[in-house]
Amino acid sequence: MKLLPVRKVAALPLSKTDAAVAHMAASILLDYPSEERRARFPVVAESVTRLPHPLRTAFETFLAAADAMGRQELEVHFIQTFDTKRKCCPYLSYYAAGDTRRRGMALVRFVEAYRAAGWEPAADELPDYLPMVLEFSALSDSPIARELLSAHRDGIEVLRTALETISSPYAHVLEAVSLSLPKIDEETRKRYLALVNEGPPTETVGLTFLGNLAPFGATASSEGARR
């Protein structure tokens, strides 16, 4: 089996404010580029000008590519990329659980995590949708938001690598997300390298389908603001 190339992205030390700006920008840019969503792109472009150079460059590169593509072309590219390719799935638990019955429990853990932080996830989207998790991280003061991203870091890296492999402009947004997260540990690196080459599982035997996500019960302390 030919191994796919994997490019390392070094984590940046960010202030809490810069991390929140980066995650909100990524949340907006990674969602379906409807007319309403694209109307927010100029606000994103303005907000990222104050970020550290590597982050700003990643966002600005995507915004320039999106502007050059035009509305319809970007919409088609979004659908062809995120709706048809297994390794480009924007739902984080998919990378650990795949198309298995146990993914339902992973989604329950996401809902528990939101509620433990005092949030109620939107009813019209699955709770592991990356743009939703990034918005949660940007707006919540709870450390649980970062725990969700860290627990599924391998999936984020698989998605970034897959987007880079097909030369999608969305790879630049995932690069920005990777830059904004803590340095990846060796165990997580091994997991995502395996996923890069093998893809999400179709069987769950021997797999940790919840990633490293801790259980969040109804009695967990509530922190942060409710959306």
Side-chain angles (χ1 to χ4, degrees), residues 121-141:
D124 60 350
E125 186 56 86
L126 292 178
D128 62 340
Y129 186 46
L130 179 55
M132 184 187 295
V133 180
L134 288 166
E135 181 184 24
F136 176 40
S137 176
L139 298 179
S140 174
D141 291 328

Side-chain angles (χ1 to χ4, degrees), residues 148-171:
L148 280 176
L149 292 169
S150 296
H152 293 274
R153 181 65 183 276
D154 45 356
I156 291 171
E157 295 302 317
V158 172
L159 176 56
R160 176 180 64 81
T161 300
L163 292 170
E164 289 179 352
T165 300
I166 62 173
S167 299
S168 169
Y170 283 101

Side-chain angles (χ1 to χ4, degrees), residues 151-212:
H152 293 274
R153 181 65 183 276
D154 45 356
I156 291 171
E157 295 302 317
V158 172
L159 176 56
R160 176 180 64 81
T161 300
L163 292 170
E164 289 179 352
T165 300
I166 62 173
S167 299
S168 169
Y170 283 101
H172 300 293
V173 185
L174 263 293
E175 178 182 4
V177 173
S178 294
L179 286 168
S180 73
L181 297 176
K183 181 180 179 180
I184 194 168
D185 59 54
E186 187 60 26
E187 181 181 350
T188 301
R189 183 175 179 274
K190 288 178 180 179
R191 285 202 308 271
Y192 94 73
L193 287 175
L195 282 168
V196 163
N197 289 287
E198 299 170 12
T202 54
E203 300 292 339
T204 60
V205 177
L207 295 174
T208 305
F209 60 90
L210 296 177
N212 294 320

Side-chain angles (χ1 to χ4, degrees), residues 27-217:
S27 171
I28 293 169
L29 300 180
L30 286 172
D31 203 1
Y32 179 76
S34 63
E35 184 175 352
E36 178 183 3
R37 182 66 60 171
R38 288 197 65 150
R40 300 178 68 183
F41 282 15
V43 177
V44 172
E46 172 61 26
S47 70
V48 301
T49 59
R50 295 178 288 275
L51 294 176
H53 179 72
L55 266 179
R56 184 175 73 250
T57 299
F59 283 124
E60 289 177 346
T61 302
F62 169 80
L63 288 165
D67 186 61
M69 292 176 76
R71 182 179 64 83
Q72 186 173 7
E73 185 180 357
L74 185 62
E75 289 177 356
V76 170
H77 175 75
F78 182 96
I79 293 170
Q80 291 179 341
T81 300
F82 294 110
D83 290 359
T84 65
K85 295 177 172 59
R86 289 181 69 226
K87 294 179 184 178
C88 294
C89 180
Y91 297 94
L92 293 179
S93 68
Y94 178 76
Y95 293 95
D99 290 318
T100 67
R101 289 174 294 178
R102 291 192 172 188
R103 188 172 169 221
M105 182 57 69
L107 295 175
V108 169
R109 284 283 177 87
F110 269 87
V111 173
E112 290 176 346
Y114 284 109
R115 290 175 176 170
W119 281 51
E120 188 64 32
D124 60 350
E125 186 56 86
L126 292 178
D128 62 340
Y129 186 46
L130 179 55
M132 184 187 295
V133 180
L134 288 166
E135 181 184 24
F136 176 40
S137 176
L139 298 179
S140 174
D141 291 328
S142 172
I144 290 174
R146 283 301 188 96
E147 289 178 30
L148 280 176
L149 292 169
S150 296
H152 293 274
R153 181 65 183 276
D154 45 356
I156 291 171
E157 295 302 317
V158 172
L159 176 56
R160 176 180 64 81
T161 300
L163 292 170
E164 289 179 352
T165 300
I166 62 173
S167 299
S168 169
Y170 283 101
H172 300 293
V173 185
L174 263 293
E175 178 182 4
V177 173
S178 294
L179 286 168
S180 73
L181 297 176
K183 181 180 179 180
I184 194 168
D185 59 54
E186 187 60 26
E187 181 181 350
T188 301
R189 183 175 179 274
K190 288 178 180 179
R191 285 202 308 271
Y192 94 73
L193 287 175
L195 282 168
V196 163
N197 289 287
E198 299 170 12
T202 54
E203 300 292 339
T204 60
V205 177
L207 295 174
T208 305
F209 60 90
L210 296 177
N212 294 320
L213 187 58
F216 296 96

